[in-house]
Amino acid sequence: MKRRAFLISTAGTAAGLMLLPKLSFAAPGQIDWYTGSDANVLDFWTNSVKPAFEAAHPDLKLNLVNASNDAGIQAIGERAVAAMQTNTDPQADFFEQADPQLPQGGIEAGLYVNMKQAGLSNYSKLNPLAIDSDFSLPYRGSQVLLAYDTTRLSAADVPKTWDALVAWIKAHPGQFVYNRPDKGGSGGNFVRRAIHQANGLDPKLFTVGNYTEAFGNEALGKAWELLNDLAPSLYDKGAYSSGNTQSIQLLSQGVVVMTPVWSDQVLQAIAQGVLPDTTGIVQLQDLALCGGFSRCVVLGNGRNREAALKLADFVLTEAMQDAVLNELGGFPGVSWDYVSANLREKFADIIPNSIPTFPSGAWEAAVNDGWYRNVAPAIDRKS
């Protein structure tokens, strides 16, 4: 899952068009698939999804193309809209991750298939918390968790609520660290969890369009009080790591006992031996730390639309959702009831009761700026 958001402007879209991969006319039975995600996602589809899908559907082929980034995906989407107007081949069938609201007007033009109405046999298995549009299919997710050293903190004693976590941090000074919120989403979403805590545990209070300076100062100010109260008990009496990776390194080196982590990063770190298998992971159960999902779309005017829908259904099967957990280190897009029983047992402590989100835009700038000014004024933001 990407750790950054792209602001798509007209200039950005034009740049994306210039960088479009070389395309060929759609071949019968060939699904033209595009991703703007990171390399590990493309590797997952190349090494796991493609061979399994083609074995299950020997009459179909999956053509995997790297669109470089979100701008590249949007540019291909805009070309597909233009193709609708001329009834020509858009040379695209499936986007691995896309926002169906982009390009603007695409849904109304029929650019994307309504997945809810597409007759997918596995659609009902989707986690209801993950669905945000009828025109996209959440198939993998990532959420911030707490990783801890089980040799120094037992699973029976690990905190599972915010209040219990605060009590543990204060009782074990120097053993907890989170990264600066603008340097990585694990620390950033720990800060957002403090914001939720300070504002009645209600993520719905914050929307993309409702930021004002007055509301921001009031809502965020209460969170700064919570974080300032914690600061003396953090690693090195109020030090903050430089990013997601450094937090994991401090945990692996035994410098701290617990730190917030992205689910995909920590699962891969454990699988690759970067973190020992004595590493525990847990999710807060009163209100989880923030997360999100990657959602695929099928193009309505793709020449191999029906084959692409078979692919969409296939990625929701138990085998592929298990692979999302085991191989990609992601969260399933389906409800946890539809992953293997052994994985449900293995990951019991991280199955969330909620998947809260927090808006970007003006709120993101206010959170980052406010944290530096009010919580860590001695830190040079450019360092």
Side-chain angles (χ1 to χ4, degrees), residues 194-219:
I195 296 169
H196 288 153
Q197 184 71 21
N199 290 275
L201 299 176
D202 186 4
K204 293 181 180 179
L205 287 177
F206 305 94
T207 65
V208 171
N210 77 344
Y211 175 81
T212 65
E213 185 175 358
F215 181 33
N217 289 339
E218 175 190 0

Side-chain angles (χ1 to χ4, degrees), residues 115-364:
M115 306 302 282
K116 185 177 181 180
Q117 299 176 0
L120 303 183
S121 62
N122 292 311
Y123 187 87
S124 62
K125 299 177 182 178
L126 286 175
N127 188 334
L129 297 172
I131 299 172
D132 75 342
S133 169
D134 291 348
F135 295 86
S136 62
L137 197 72
Y139 85 97
R140 63 179 174 92
S142 187
Q143 197 162 1
V144 174
L145 311 169
L146 298 174
Y148 63 98
D149 182 350
T150 62
T151 67
R152 300 162 69 187
L153 172 61
S154 70
D157 295 330
V158 68
K160 294 184 179 180
T161 67
W162 177 267
D163 288 341
L165 175 61
V166 168
W168 184 88
I169 293 171
K170 290 183 175 181
H172 301 83
Q175 297 305 304
F176 185 90
V177 69
Y178 68 91
N179 63 261
R180 292 186 259 171
D182 63 332
K183 302 298 184 182
S186 60
N189 282 333
F190 178 79
V191 170
R192 285 157 176 80
R193 180 60 182 80
I195 296 169
H196 288 153
Q197 184 71 21
N199 290 275
L201 299 176
D202 186 4
K204 293 181 180 179
L205 287 177
F206 305 94
T207 65
V208 171
N210 77 344
Y211 175 81
T212 65
E213 185 175 358
F215 181 33
N217 289 339
E218 175 190 0
L220 300 184
K222 292 183 286 186
W224 307 148
E225 293 178 12
L226 294 183
L227 293 172
N228 278 318
D229 181 56
L230 273 184
S233 301
L234 298 177
Y235 165 65
D236 200 21
K237 299 181 180 180
Y240 305 92
S241 60
S242 62
N244 303 317
T245 299
Q246 190 181 45
S247 293
I248 288 177
Q249 290 171 340
L250 290 171
L251 180 64
S252 70
Q253 295 164 1
V255 176
V256 297
V257 174
M258 184 186 298
T259 186
V261 292
W262 277 107
S263 57
D264 54 348
Q265 286 187 317
V266 71
L267 291 173
Q268 288 184 330
I270 294 170
Q272 295 168 2
V274 174
L275 284 170
D277 57 12
T278 53
T279 303
I281 45 179
V282 68
Q283 181 58 274
L284 297 182
Q285 296 302 306
D286 49 350
L287 179 70
L289 286 89
C290 286
F293 283 84
S294 295
R295 299 173 172 91
C296 53
V297 299
V298 171
L299 277 71
N301 61 330
R303 290 296 188 257
N304 290 298
R305 180 182 63 185
E306 295 307 313
L309 286 171
K310 290 182 180 180
L311 175 61
D313 213 18
F314 183 77
V315 297
L316 298 183
T317 61
E318 182 176 300
M320 289 298 97
Q321 291 295 292
D322 285 359
V324 166
L325 272 162
N326 284 326
E327 300 174 30
L328 192 58
F331 268 27
V334 299
S335 296
W336 284 80
D337 291 343
Y338 297 105
V339 299
S340 298
N342 65 312
L343 291 180
R344 292 200 303 273
E345 181 179 357
K346 179 179 179 180
F347 296 116
D349 282 343
I350 65 171
I351 297 176
N353 293 324
S354 57
I355 307 176
T357 59
F358 198 91
S360 54
W363 277 112
E364 182 174 9

